[in-house]
Amino acid sequence: MSEIDETAGMSEAGRHEWELMVAGEVYQDSHPDIERKRAEAKKLFVEYNKTDYEDVERRREIMEQLFKSVGEDVFIEPNFRCEVGRNITIGSHAYINFDCVMLDNAPITLGDYVWIAPMVGLFATNHALDFEERKNGACQAKPIVIGNGVWLGGHVSVLGGVTIGDGAVIGAGSVVTRDIPANSIAVGNPARVLREITEADRTGFMERIGQRERGL
């Protein structure tokens, strides 16, 4: 996938606001150049959401145009929506279920084998608390990192600045406001770690499948 200069064609002020945005500083979300990037992304994800499941090549082409990077064997159900798209990196073997929203004003990174249930939101950006600043477009975005093998349950919300460690499971309806360690189960609003995932959580599924494949 070729590198794209996202600030190409922007005004000097627009380029400055974009650079502030991805750096995690307060930026003008309503700047016309950022609005244009938002409109470009919308055209792509609207087209993607209209594609047929069997149109694998076209779906892949759109993903490569929309995202910064996308791995192999990535499947996204409609209706997927995002902010600018080009700040999203998706690893291989990811499955993103229906109605996912990613507000990627700051980088959003998904590892390999990430599974996202329906109606999950990854919200990297936040409006200013002060009303005068907020109504004039002040926002601040922080990166989100979802590690390898993470499973996000239905209706989970992940806020900016959060890293979820490899293999973690986030229970349905949770709001993740702080980092979650690897191989742990977290639930609630705000999400809190319940416990570590251990060998005791294995059900014997892999052994049963292995026996079937060996004809036993």
Side-chain angles (χ1 to χ4, degrees), residues 33-76:
D33 285 330
I34 294 177
E35 293 279 17
R36 177 168 55 84
K37 290 296 182 181
R38 188 178 288 117
E40 291 172 359
K42 185 175 183 179
K43 289 179 181 178
L44 289 170
F45 71 66
V46 166
E47 182 180 355
Y48 180 91
N49 290 331
K50 291 179 179 178
T51 58
D52 189 277
Y53 287 142
E54 296 178 353
D55 195 357
V56 176
E57 290 185 4
R58 182 56 185 148
R59 290 165 72 90
R60 179 70 191 189
E61 289 174 359
I62 296 171
M63 283 193 284
E64 290 185 353
Q65 293 175 58
L66 180 59
F67 302 133
K68 179 178 181 179
S69 176
V70 57
E72 300 301 318
D73 186 31
V74 172
F75 193 90
I76 304 175

